[in-house]
Amino acid sequence: MDQRDTGSVAAVPTGGHVGQNSPLIVIASSLGAVFEWYDFYLYGLLATIITAQFFSGVNETTGFIFALAAFAAGFAVRPFGALVFGRIGDLVGRKNTFLVTMAIMGLSTFCVGLLPSYATAGVAAPIMLVLLRLLQGLALGGEYGGAATYVAEHAPDRKRGLFTSFIQTTASLGLFAALLIVIGVRSLVGEAAFAAWGWRIPFIVSIVLLAVSLWIRMQLNESPVFQKMKEEGKTSKAPLTEAFGQWSNLKIVLIALFGAVVGQGVVFYTSQFYALFFLEKNLRVDGATTNVLIAIALLIATPAFILFGWLSDRIGRKWIILTGCALAALTYMPLFHALSKAANPALYAAQAASPVTVVANPAECSVQFDPVGKNRFDSTSCDIAKAYLAKAGIAYTNVAAPVGTLAQVRIGGMTIPVVNPATVTGADRAAAIRTFGADVKTALTAVGYPDKADPAQINKPVVVLILVILVLYVTMVYGPIAALLVELFPTRIRYTSMSLPYHIGNGWFGGFLPTIAFAMVAATGDIYYGLWYPIVACAVTALVGLVLLPETFRRSLH
């Protein structure tokens, strides 16, 4: 029977249970994966603090995007980790490979907590941070494929979606664990101390979790499916060549990537991480409150991973994943508008009643992102206006003006002329820019723009409801994906074949999403503009998957 046939389900053997019971295998594998996700996501939760600690040498907007870029650096190398460790996993076995990846991940995370800040070590600090993020990404690139393949190869054929869905919960559980520890340390030491040094504690304590997780995973045996293949001498001698050098398999890799994993990846990072950054950066909800709201939503919605994994064993993987992608594409925009209204109603009302407009010659306007940290955005009146609004987190629209026109900022019915940098230099220019900023702030305050979200005005039940809906989309696309990917590829090259599309979809299309989306916001001034990235990606995945993605839930792994 060809591994990629979707035919008869007759005489399908169950996955082996050699020397261990499947619940023990699922629990042990899942606990290890929770630890690795905890390590990886600590950085994302603390992006705002990381900006201040490691990227204080550039302007605030660029620093935040740099911090997100360093977060994404770990995702950039995940496909390379998938190639390296996937090959090792298909050559020597699943268990030992993910023991190595876990050790690399844990030690890298521990070292982040010991790094000097930019104030202490200068540019060496962010360089060391990025290097550790790269090591984390390499390790995670080898972890997921190993854990998912290991569990799937132990599971009964008719329960593979259910069993692997526990692996799928680990990303959210790892995020939840990181949130709990961050919230606990913040409460214990206070916000000021947490920003100064307390943020290091969640990284440092991970060394204890590493020891426990390694001990648990060392109790496991090798996958029975792989062990039987190895005893029969049928393991692949060149997994990379077989997986990607033969069109019959490469074609399935590409279909899996663009017909399932790209959409799954962007839904995962939009619904959890971009939502978190959006609350904190764009809606100005304080970090502690944001963490609590996200944690509550994760606690409520995480069981749905199991639900959709179980359901995929009965009705199939494909339609659940594609439905989640389609729902995300159709509803992200209204949901994030509703999130704005519930989380910062004063800001939402002010933006509706008194929108901010920058009237300027487009040729004088730069994108408010400076990759080298040298541009102060004060050489044109347009740049001066947009730099202030970007730093203040104020959404605005653009209106083109004729060449030679001095830029203006319109706030409701008020018009504030911008400094003409051609007429003032040095200290006088700096003073004029400060005066302009003070005038804009006064005007914004007058029409109701708040400095930050008022905790008493946040409609927390509605915010949590919206976040739960967003996480439910994650459970739809993510719950069945491991079983789908495992079933698409033959045993001898399964670890390698499934790992690469998974980590390109999640590491590149998903992991870079916060960076790209916030750069899109900085370029346009529209806080919702970044959502077009996941909307388009989800729509493309739904269309490609509808036409090309096969259903796999009745396949055997043998």
Side-chain angles (χ1 to χ4, degrees), residues 358-368 377-390 396 398-399 401 405-409 418-421 436 523:
V358 175
V359 182
N361 173 17
E364 296 184 356
C365 301
S366 303
V367 175
Q368 296 295 305
F377 299 111
D378 64 354
S379 61
T380 70
S381 58
C382 178
D383 280 357
I384 291 170
K386 289 190 174 184
Y388 177 84
L389 295 172
Y396 60 87
N398 299 276
V399 173
T405 302
L406 189 66
Q408 299 176 340
V409 175
V418 187
V419 177
N420 185 352
F436 162 75

PDB file of all heavy atoms in Angstrom, residues 358-368 377-390 396 398-399 401 405-409 418-421 436 523:
ATOM      1  N   VAL A 358      -2.077  63.340   8.952  1.00  0.00           N
ATOM      2  CA  VAL A 358      -0.840  64.025   8.603  1.00  0.00           C
ATOM      3  C   VAL A 358      -0.965  64.489   7.153  1.00  0.00           C
ATOM      4  O   VAL A 358      -1.108  63.667   6.240  1.00  0.00           O
ATOM      5  CB  VAL A 358       0.389  63.116   8.770  1.00  0.00           C
ATOM      6  CG1 VAL A 358       1.649  63.829   8.284  1.00  0.00           C
ATOM      7  CG2 VAL A 358       0.547  62.702  10.233  1.00  0.00           C
ATOM      8  N   VAL A 359      -0.948  65.802   6.960  1.00  0.00           N
ATOM      9  CA  VAL A 359      -1.015  66.382   5.622  1.00  0.00           C
ATOM     10  C   VAL A 359       0.408  66.768   5.224  1.00  0.00           C
ATOM     11  O   VAL A 359       1.019  67.645   5.854  1.00  0.00           O
ATOM     12  CB  VAL A 359      -1.936  67.617   5.600  1.00  0.00           C
ATOM     13  CG1 VAL A 359      -2.037  68.178   4.174  1.00  0.00           C
ATOM     14  CG2 VAL A 359      -3.318  67.271   6.138  1.00  0.00           C
ATOM     15  N   ALA A 360       0.960  66.119   4.196  1.00  0.00           N
ATOM     16  CA  ALA A 360       2.365  66.341   3.851  1.00  0.00           C
ATOM     17  C   ALA A 360       2.640  65.894   2.428  1.00  0.00           C
ATOM     18  O   ALA A 360       1.890  65.089   1.858  1.00  0.00           O
ATOM     19  CB  ALA A 360       3.269  65.592   4.820  1.00  0.00           C
ATOM     20  N   ASN A 361       3.727  66.390   1.902  1.00  0.00           N
ATOM     21  CA  ASN A 361       4.212  65.938   0.604  1.00  0.00           C
ATOM     22  C   ASN A 361       4.782  64.528   0.776  1.00  0.00           C
ATOM     23  O   ASN A 361       5.741  64.339   1.533  1.00  0.00           O
ATOM     24  CB  ASN A 361       5.301  66.898   0.107  1.00  0.00           C
ATOM     25  CG  ASN A 361       5.974  66.399  -1.162  1.00  0.00           C
ATOM     26  OD1 ASN A 361       5.454  65.530  -1.849  1.00  0.00           O
ATOM     27  ND2 ASN A 361       7.139  66.956  -1.451  1.00  0.00           N
ATOM     28  N   PRO A 362       4.208  63.523   0.096  1.00  0.00           N
ATOM     29  CA  PRO A 362       4.667  62.136   0.299  1.00  0.00           C
ATOM     30  C   PRO A 362       6.155  61.944   0.041  1.00  0.00           C
ATOM     31  O   PRO A 362       6.786  61.070   0.659  1.00  0.00           O
ATOM     32  CB  PRO A 362       3.827  61.335  -0.708  1.00  0.00           C
ATOM     33  CG  PRO A 362       2.629  62.184  -0.976  1.00  0.00           C
ATOM     34  CD  PRO A 362       3.089  63.607  -0.859  1.00  0.00           C
ATOM     35  N   ALA A 363       6.734  62.737  -0.830  1.00  0.00           N
ATOM     36  CA  ALA A 363       8.157  62.590  -1.141  1.00  0.00           C
ATOM     37  C   ALA A 363       9.036  62.922   0.049  1.00  0.00           C
ATOM     38  O   ALA A 363      10.214  62.538   0.092  1.00  0.00           O
ATOM     39  CB  ALA A 363       8.532  63.471  -2.328  1.00  0.00           C
ATOM     40  N   GLU A 364       8.507  63.659   1.027  1.00  0.00           N
ATOM     41  CA  GLU A 364       9.285  64.040   2.205  1.00  0.00           C
ATOM     42  C   GLU A 364       9.088  63.081   3.373  1.00  0.00           C
ATOM     43  O   GLU A 364       9.654  63.298   4.446  1.00  0.00           O
ATOM     44  CB  GLU A 364       8.906  65.457   2.648  1.00  0.00           C
ATOM     45  CG  GLU A 364       9.235  66.547   1.639  1.00  0.00           C
ATOM     46  CD  GLU A 364       8.931  67.934   2.187  1.00  0.00           C
ATOM     47  OE1 GLU A 364       8.400  68.019   3.319  1.00  0.00           O
ATOM     48  OE2 GLU A 364       9.230  68.913   1.502  1.00  0.00           O
ATOM     49  N   CYS A 365       8.292  62.040   3.174  1.00  0.00           N
ATOM     50  CA  CYS A 365       7.928  61.162   4.291  1.00  0.00           C
ATOM     51  C   CYS A 365       8.713  59.857   4.242  1.00  0.00           C
ATOM     52  O   CYS A 365       8.686  59.140   3.229  1.00  0.00           O
ATOM     53  CB  CYS A 365       6.435  60.846   4.251  1.00  0.00           C
ATOM     54  SG  CYS A 365       5.369  62.309   4.339  1.00  0.00           S
ATOM     55  N   SER A 366       9.404  59.534   5.314  1.00  0.00           N
ATOM     56  CA  SER A 366      10.146  58.280   5.424  1.00  0.00           C
ATOM     57  C   SER A 366       9.302  57.252   6.158  1.00  0.00           C
ATOM     58  O   SER A 366       8.412  57.590   6.945  1.00  0.00           O
ATOM     59  CB  SER A 366      11.448  58.486   6.203  1.00  0.00           C
ATOM     60  OG  SER A 366      12.241  59.484   5.606  1.00  0.00           O
ATOM     61  N   VAL A 367       9.603  55.975   5.906  1.00  0.00           N
ATOM     62  CA  VAL A 367       9.023  54.925   6.738  1.00  0.00           C
ATOM     63  C   VAL A 367       9.638  55.042   8.130  1.00  0.00           C
ATOM     64  O   VAL A 367      10.859  55.172   8.267  1.00  0.00           O
ATOM     65  CB  VAL A 367       9.302  53.535   6.133  1.00  0.00           C
ATOM     66  CG1 VAL A 367       8.809  52.434   7.068  1.00  0.00           C
ATOM     67  CG2 VAL A 367       8.636  53.419   4.770  1.00  0.00           C
ATOM     68  N   GLN A 368       8.810  54.992   9.162  1.00  0.00           N
ATOM     69  CA  GLN A 368       9.303  55.213  10.518  1.00  0.00           C
ATOM     70  C   GLN A 368       9.974  53.959  11.085  1.00  0.00           C
ATOM     71  O   GLN A 368       9.577  53.397  12.106  1.00  0.00           O
ATOM     72  CB  GLN A 368       8.145  55.660  11.413  1.00  0.00           C
ATOM     73  CG  GLN A 368       7.553  57.001  11.019  1.00  0.00           C
ATOM     74  CD  GLN A 368       8.543  58.140  11.186  1.00  0.00           C
ATOM     75  OE1 GLN A 368       9.089  58.340  12.253  1.00  0.00           O
ATOM     76  NE2 GLN A 368       8.762  58.888  10.106  1.00  0.00           N
ATOM     77  N   PHE A 377      14.823  61.180  12.232  1.00  0.00           N
ATOM     78  CA  PHE A 377      13.588  61.600  11.597  1.00  0.00           C
ATOM     79  C   PHE A 377      13.263  63.065  11.890  1.00  0.00           C
ATOM     80  O   PHE A 377      12.171  63.397  12.337  1.00  0.00           O
ATOM     81  CB  PHE A 377      12.425  60.695  12.036  1.00  0.00           C
ATOM     82  CG  PHE A 377      12.608  59.252  11.660  1.00  0.00           C
ATOM     83  CD1 PHE A 377      12.839  58.294  12.643  1.00  0.00           C
ATOM     84  CD2 PHE A 377      12.582  58.845  10.338  1.00  0.00           C
ATOM     85  CE1 PHE A 377      13.025  56.961  12.300  1.00  0.00           C
ATOM     86  CE2 PHE A 377      12.770  57.509   9.990  1.00  0.00           C
ATOM     87  CZ  PHE A 377      13.000  56.565  10.969  1.00  0.00           C
ATOM     88  N   ASP A 378      14.246  63.936  11.655  1.00  0.00           N
ATOM     89  CA  ASP A 378      14.022  65.361  11.881  1.00  0.00           C
ATOM     90  C   ASP A 378      14.475  66.222  10.702  1.00  0.00           C
ATOM     91  O   ASP A 378      14.640  67.431  10.837  1.00  0.00           O
ATOM     92  CB  ASP A 378      14.718  65.820  13.165  1.00  0.00           C
ATOM     93  CG  ASP A 378      16.243  65.688  13.074  1.00  0.00           C
ATOM     94  OD1 ASP A 378      16.741  65.143  12.064  1.00  0.00           O
ATOM     95  OD2 ASP A 378      16.927  66.119  14.021  1.00  0.00           O
ATOM     96  N   SER A 379      14.670  65.579   9.530  1.00  0.00           N
ATOM     97  CA  SER A 379      15.168  66.347   8.391  1.00  0.00           C
ATOM     98  C   SER A 379      14.052  66.935   7.530  1.00  0.00           C
ATOM     99  O   SER A 379      14.307  67.817   6.706  1.00  0.00           O
ATOM    100  CB  SER A 379      16.075  65.478   7.515  1.00  0.00           C
ATOM    101  OG  SER A 379      15.353  64.362   7.016  1.00  0.00           O
ATOM    102  N   THR A 380      12.821  66.439   7.681  1.00  0.00           N
ATOM    103  CA  THR A 380      11.676  67.012   6.969  1.00  0.00           C
ATOM    104  C   THR A 380      10.527  67.205   7.949  1.00  0.00           C
ATOM    105  O   THR A 380      10.457  66.534   8.993  1.00  0.00           O
ATOM    106  CB  THR A 380      11.195  66.109   5.814  1.00  0.00           C
ATOM    107  OG1 THR A 380      10.593  64.921   6.364  1.00  0.00           O
ATOM    108  CG2 THR A 380      12.348  65.726   4.896  1.00  0.00           C
ATOM    109  N   SER A 381       9.622  68.097   7.602  1.00  0.00           N
ATOM    110  CA  SER A 381       8.484  68.339   8.496  1.00  0.00           C
ATOM    111  C   SER A 381       7.589  67.110   8.596  1.00  0.00           C
ATOM    112  O   SER A 381       7.026  66.826   9.660  1.00  0.00           O
ATOM    113  CB  SER A 381       7.677  69.547   8.005  1.00  0.00           C
ATOM    114  OG  SER A 381       7.220  69.337   6.674  1.00  0.00           O
ATOM    115  N   CYS A 382       7.473  66.341   7.495  1.00  0.00           N
ATOM    116  CA  CYS A 382       6.665  65.116   7.541  1.00  0.00           C
ATOM    117  C   CYS A 382       7.266  64.118   8.517  1.00  0.00           C
ATOM    118  O   CYS A 382       6.554  63.515   9.323  1.00  0.00           O
ATOM    119  CB  CYS A 382       6.562  64.509   6.143  1.00  0.00           C
ATOM    120  SG  CYS A 382       5.617  62.965   6.108  1.00  0.00           S
ATOM    121  N   ASP A 383       8.586  63.923   8.456  1.00  0.00           N
ATOM    122  CA  ASP A 383       9.247  62.974   9.353  1.00  0.00           C
ATOM    123  C   ASP A 383       9.097  63.385  10.815  1.00  0.00           C
ATOM    124  O   ASP A 383       8.911  62.529  11.693  1.00  0.00           O
ATOM    125  CB  ASP A 383      10.731  62.866   9.002  1.00  0.00           C
ATOM    126  CG  ASP A 383      10.972  61.949   7.811  1.00  0.00           C
ATOM    127  OD1 ASP A 383       9.985  61.366   7.314  1.00  0.00           O
ATOM    128  OD2 ASP A 383      12.132  61.819   7.379  1.00  0.00           O
ATOM    129  N   ILE A 384       9.188  64.672  11.073  1.00  0.00           N
ATOM    130  CA  ILE A 384       9.040  65.156  12.450  1.00  0.00           C
ATOM    131  C   ILE A 384       7.655  64.815  12.982  1.00  0.00           C
ATOM    132  O   ILE A 384       7.501  64.321  14.113  1.00  0.00           O
ATOM    133  CB  ILE A 384       9.299  66.672  12.522  1.00  0.00           C
ATOM    134  CG1 ILE A 384      10.775  66.964  12.256  1.00  0.00           C
ATOM    135  CG2 ILE A 384       8.883  67.233  13.879  1.00  0.00           C
ATOM    136  CD1 ILE A 384      11.088  68.435  12.079  1.00  0.00           C
ATOM    137  N   ALA A 385       6.631  65.033  12.141  1.00  0.00           N
ATOM    138  CA  ALA A 385       5.250  64.754  12.562  1.00  0.00           C
ATOM    139  C   ALA A 385       5.050  63.260  12.800  1.00  0.00           C
ATOM    140  O   ALA A 385       4.537  62.841  13.848  1.00  0.00           O
ATOM    141  CB  ALA A 385       4.278  65.258  11.509  1.00  0.00           C
ATOM    142  N   LYS A 386       5.477  62.434  11.856  1.00  0.00           N
ATOM    143  CA  LYS A 386       5.232  61.001  11.968  1.00  0.00           C
ATOM    144  C   LYS A 386       6.078  60.351  13.060  1.00  0.00           C
ATOM    145  O   LYS A 386       5.640  59.398  13.708  1.00  0.00           O
ATOM    146  CB  LYS A 386       5.489  60.334  10.618  1.00  0.00           C
ATOM    147  CG  LYS A 386       4.436  60.672   9.568  1.00  0.00           C
ATOM    148  CD  LYS A 386       4.590  59.816   8.326  1.00  0.00           C
ATOM    149  CE  LYS A 386       3.441  60.059   7.360  1.00  0.00           C
ATOM    150  NZ  LYS A 386       3.497  59.166   6.187  1.00  0.00           N
ATOM    151  N   ALA A 387       7.285  60.867  13.271  1.00  0.00           N
ATOM    152  CA  ALA A 387       8.128  60.322  14.333  1.00  0.00           C
ATOM    153  C   ALA A 387       7.471  60.507  15.696  1.00  0.00           C
ATOM    154  O   ALA A 387       7.476  59.604  16.541  1.00  0.00           O
ATOM    155  CB  ALA A 387       9.504  60.978  14.310  1.00  0.00           C
ATOM    156  N   TYR A 388       6.881  61.694  15.902  1.00  0.00           N
ATOM    157  CA  TYR A 388       6.220  61.930  17.181  1.00  0.00           C
ATOM    158  C   TYR A 388       5.017  60.999  17.344  1.00  0.00           C
ATOM    159  O   TYR A 388       4.835  60.376  18.405  1.00  0.00           O
ATOM    160  CB  TYR A 388       5.763  63.387  17.304  1.00  0.00           C
ATOM    161  CG  TYR A 388       5.004  63.624  18.590  1.00  0.00           C
ATOM    162  CD1 TYR A 388       5.685  63.893  19.772  1.00  0.00           C
ATOM    163  CD2 TYR A 388       3.613  63.522  18.643  1.00  0.00           C
ATOM    164  CE1 TYR A 388       5.001  64.062  20.973  1.00  0.00           C
ATOM    165  CE2 TYR A 388       2.921  63.694  19.832  1.00  0.00           C
ATOM    166  CZ  TYR A 388       3.626  63.959  20.991  1.00  0.00           C
ATOM    167  OH  TYR A 388       2.945  64.121  22.168  1.00  0.00           O
ATOM    168  N   LEU A 389       4.197  60.899  16.310  1.00  0.00           N
ATOM    169  CA  LEU A 389       2.982  60.084  16.402  1.00  0.00           C
ATOM    170  C   LEU A 389       3.324  58.606  16.553  1.00  0.00           C
ATOM    171  O   LEU A 389       2.658  57.887  17.313  1.00  0.00           O
ATOM    172  CB  LEU A 389       2.112  60.308  15.164  1.00  0.00           C
ATOM    173  CG  LEU A 389       1.549  61.734  15.014  1.00  0.00           C
ATOM    174  CD1 LEU A 389       0.865  61.887  13.655  1.00  0.00           C
ATOM    175  CD2 LEU A 389       0.572  62.059  16.136  1.00  0.00           C
ATOM    176  N   ALA A 390       4.368  58.136  15.851  1.00  0.00           N
ATOM    177  CA  ALA A 390       4.763  56.730  15.968  1.00  0.00           C
ATOM    178  C   ALA A 390       5.257  56.421  17.374  1.00  0.00           C
ATOM    179  O   ALA A 390       4.896  55.397  17.968  1.00  0.00           O
ATOM    180  CB  ALA A 390       5.833  56.396  14.940  1.00  0.00           C
ATOM    181  N   TYR A 396      -2.831  57.263  12.638  1.00  0.00           N
ATOM    182  CA  TYR A 396      -3.117  58.426  11.795  1.00  0.00           C
ATOM    183  C   TYR A 396      -3.312  57.986  10.357  1.00  0.00           C
ATOM    184  O   TYR A 396      -2.927  56.882   9.965  1.00  0.00           O
ATOM    185  CB  TYR A 396      -1.976  59.448  11.877  1.00  0.00           C
ATOM    186  CG  TYR A 396      -0.629  58.932  11.430  1.00  0.00           C
ATOM    187  CD1 TYR A 396      -0.237  58.975  10.097  1.00  0.00           C
ATOM    188  CD2 TYR A 396       0.264  58.388  12.358  1.00  0.00           C
ATOM    189  CE1 TYR A 396       0.994  58.482   9.687  1.00  0.00           C
ATOM    190  CE2 TYR A 396       1.498  57.894  11.950  1.00  0.00           C
ATOM    191  CZ  TYR A 396       1.857  57.945  10.620  1.00  0.00           C
ATOM    192  OH  TYR A 396       3.079  57.458  10.222  1.00  0.00           O
ATOM    193  N   ASN A 398      -2.948  59.447   6.157  1.00  0.00           N
ATOM    194  CA  ASN A 398      -2.085  60.322   5.374  1.00  0.00           C
ATOM    195  C   ASN A 398      -2.886  61.034   4.290  1.00  0.00           C
ATOM    196  O   ASN A 398      -3.728  60.417   3.624  1.00  0.00           O
ATOM    197  CB  ASN A 398      -0.969  59.511   4.716  1.00  0.00           C
ATOM    198  CG  ASN A 398      -0.072  58.820   5.730  1.00  0.00           C
ATOM    199  OD1 ASN A 398       0.862  59.413   6.250  1.00  0.00           O
ATOM    200  ND2 ASN A 398      -0.352  57.555   6.022  1.00  0.00           N
ATOM    201  N   VAL A 399      -2.631  62.330   4.126  1.00  0.00           N
ATOM    202  CA  VAL A 399      -3.220  63.109   3.041  1.00  0.00           C
ATOM    203  C   VAL A 399      -2.079  63.779   2.285  1.00  0.00           C
ATOM    204  O   VAL A 399      -1.234  64.446   2.896  1.00  0.00           O
ATOM    205  CB  VAL A 399      -4.207  64.171   3.568  1.00  0.00           C
ATOM    206  CG1 VAL A 399      -4.672  65.083   2.429  1.00  0.00           C
ATOM    207  CG2 VAL A 399      -5.406  63.499   4.231  1.00  0.00           C
ATOM    208  N   ALA A 401      -0.013  66.366   0.067  1.00  0.00           N
ATOM    209  CA  ALA A 401      -0.002  67.823  -0.119  1.00  0.00           C
ATOM    210  C   ALA A 401       0.964  68.154  -1.251  1.00  0.00           C
ATOM    211  O   ALA A 401       1.867  67.362  -1.564  1.00  0.00           O
ATOM    212  CB  ALA A 401       0.427  68.515   1.173  1.00  0.00           C
ATOM    213  N   THR A 405       4.908  72.169   0.438  1.00  0.00           N
ATOM    214  CA  THR A 405       3.969  72.426   1.540  1.00  0.00           C
ATOM    215  C   THR A 405       4.576  71.961   2.856  1.00  0.00           C
ATOM    216  O   THR A 405       5.111  70.849   2.953  1.00  0.00           O
ATOM    217  CB  THR A 405       2.646  71.686   1.307  1.00  0.00           C
ATOM    218  OG1 THR A 405       2.091  72.098   0.065  1.00  0.00           O
ATOM    219  CG2 THR A 405       1.657  71.979   2.431  1.00  0.00           C
ATOM    220  N   LEU A 406       4.501  72.806   3.882  1.00  0.00           N
ATOM    221  CA  LEU A 406       4.940  72.410   5.221  1.00  0.00           C
ATOM    222  C   LEU A 406       3.906  71.457   5.811  1.00  0.00           C
ATOM    223  O   LEU A 406       2.696  71.692   5.725  1.00  0.00           O
ATOM    224  CB  LEU A 406       5.080  73.646   6.113  1.00  0.00           C
ATOM    225  CG  LEU A 406       5.738  73.426   7.484  1.00  0.00           C
ATOM    226  CD1 LEU A 406       7.191  73.032   7.322  1.00  0.00           C
ATOM    227  CD2 LEU A 406       5.614  74.702   8.323  1.00  0.00           C
ATOM    228  N   ALA A 407       4.374  70.357   6.383  1.00  0.00           N
ATOM    229  CA  ALA A 407       3.460  69.353   6.925  1.00  0.00           C
ATOM    230  C   ALA A 407       2.611  69.926   8.051  1.00  0.00           C
ATOM    231  O   ALA A 407       3.035  70.833   8.780  1.00  0.00           O
ATOM    232  CB  ALA A 407       4.247  68.148   7.422  1.00  0.00           C
ATOM    233  N   GLN A 408       1.409  69.364   8.179  1.00  0.00           N
ATOM    234  CA  GLN A 408       0.488  69.737   9.249  1.00  0.00           C
ATOM    235  C   GLN A 408      -0.065  68.468   9.897  1.00  0.00           C
ATOM    236  O   GLN A 408      -0.181  67.430   9.251  1.00  0.00           O
ATOM    237  CB  GLN A 408      -0.691  70.557   8.699  1.00  0.00           C
ATOM    238  CG  GLN A 408      -0.334  71.867   8.041  1.00  0.00           C
ATOM    239  CD  GLN A 408      -1.552  72.542   7.445  1.00  0.00           C
ATOM    240  OE1 GLN A 408      -2.569  71.899   7.187  1.00  0.00           O
ATOM    241  NE2 GLN A 408      -1.459  73.855   7.237  1.00  0.00           N
ATOM    242  N   VAL A 409      -0.389  68.588  11.164  1.00  0.00           N
ATOM    243  CA  VAL A 409      -1.092  67.513  11.856  1.00  0.00           C
ATOM    244  C   VAL A 409      -2.483  68.022  12.204  1.00  0.00           C
ATOM    245  O   VAL A 409      -2.628  69.051  12.879  1.00  0.00           O
ATOM    246  CB  VAL A 409      -0.352  67.081  13.139  1.00  0.00           C
ATOM    247  CG1 VAL A 409      -1.174  66.044  13.910  1.00  0.00           C
ATOM    248  CG2 VAL A 409       1.016  66.505  12.797  1.00  0.00           C
ATOM    249  N   VAL A 418       3.801  71.901  11.530  1.00  0.00           N
ATOM    250  CA  VAL A 418       5.007  71.205  11.975  1.00  0.00           C
ATOM    251  C   VAL A 418       6.208  72.130  11.794  1.00  0.00           C
ATOM    252  O   VAL A 418       6.202  73.048  10.973  1.00  0.00           O
ATOM    253  CB  VAL A 418       5.204  69.902  11.176  1.00  0.00           C
ATOM    254  CG1 VAL A 418       6.366  69.082  11.741  1.00  0.00           C
ATOM    255  CG2 VAL A 418       3.930  69.064  11.212  1.00  0.00           C
ATOM    256  N   VAL A 419       7.222  71.865  12.581  1.00  0.00           N
ATOM    257  CA  VAL A 419       8.459  72.632  12.491  1.00  0.00           C
ATOM    258  C   VAL A 419       9.016  72.548  11.073  1.00  0.00           C
ATOM    259  O   VAL A 419       9.007  71.482  10.452  1.00  0.00           O
ATOM    260  CB  VAL A 419       9.500  72.067  13.486  1.00  0.00           C
ATOM    261  CG1 VAL A 419      10.823  72.810  13.361  1.00  0.00           C
ATOM    262  CG2 VAL A 419       8.965  72.109  14.894  1.00  0.00           C
ATOM    263  N   ASN A 420       9.516  73.668  10.563  1.00  0.00           N
ATOM    264  CA  ASN A 420      10.221  73.668   9.282  1.00  0.00           C
ATOM    265  C   ASN A 420      11.709  73.491   9.561  1.00  0.00           C
ATOM    266  O   ASN A 420      12.390  74.424   9.990  1.00  0.00           O
ATOM    267  CB  ASN A 420       9.981  74.971   8.523  1.00  0.00           C
ATOM    268  CG  ASN A 420      10.605  74.957   7.138  1.00  0.00           C
ATOM    269  OD1 ASN A 420      11.341  74.031   6.801  1.00  0.00           O
ATOM    270  ND2 ASN A 420      10.325  75.978   6.339  1.00  0.00           N
ATOM    271  N   PRO A 421      12.260  72.277   9.359  1.00  0.00           N
ATOM    272  CA  PRO A 421      13.663  72.039   9.727  1.00  0.00           C
ATOM    273  C   PRO A 421      14.649  72.834   8.878  1.00  0.00           C
ATOM    274  O   PRO A 421      15.825  72.948   9.246  1.00  0.00           O
ATOM    275  CB  PRO A 421      13.822  70.534   9.499  1.00  0.00           C
ATOM    276  CG  PRO A 421      12.776  70.188   8.503  1.00  0.00           C
ATOM    277  CD  PRO A 421      11.625  71.098   8.763  1.00  0.00           C
ATOM    278  N   PHE A 436       6.636  71.563  19.335  1.00  0.00           N
ATOM    279  CA  PHE A 436       5.638  70.944  18.463  1.00  0.00           C
ATOM    280  C   PHE A 436       5.012  69.728  19.144  1.00  0.00           C
ATOM    281  O   PHE A 436       3.790  69.552  19.149  1.00  0.00           O
ATOM    282  CB  PHE A 436       6.283  70.540  17.135  1.00  0.00           C
ATOM    283  CG  PHE A 436       5.479  69.540  16.361  1.00  0.00           C
ATOM    284  CD1 PHE A 436       4.324  69.917  15.688  1.00  0.00           C
ATOM    285  CD2 PHE A 436       5.869  68.197  16.314  1.00  0.00           C
ATOM    286  CE1 PHE A 436       3.575  68.987  14.984  1.00  0.00           C
ATOM    287  CE2 PHE A 436       5.127  67.259  15.611  1.00  0.00           C
ATOM    288  CZ  PHE A 436       3.976  67.654  14.942  1.00  0.00           C
ATOM    289  N   ALA A 523       4.808  51.967   8.909  1.00  0.00           N
ATOM    290  CA  ALA A 523       4.898  52.558   7.571  1.00  0.00           C
ATOM    291  C   ALA A 523       3.648  53.340   7.202  1.00  0.00           C
ATOM    292  O   ALA A 523       3.717  54.309   6.436  1.00  0.00           O
ATOM    293  CB  ALA A 523       5.141  51.471   6.535  1.00  0.00           C
TER     294      ALA A 523
END
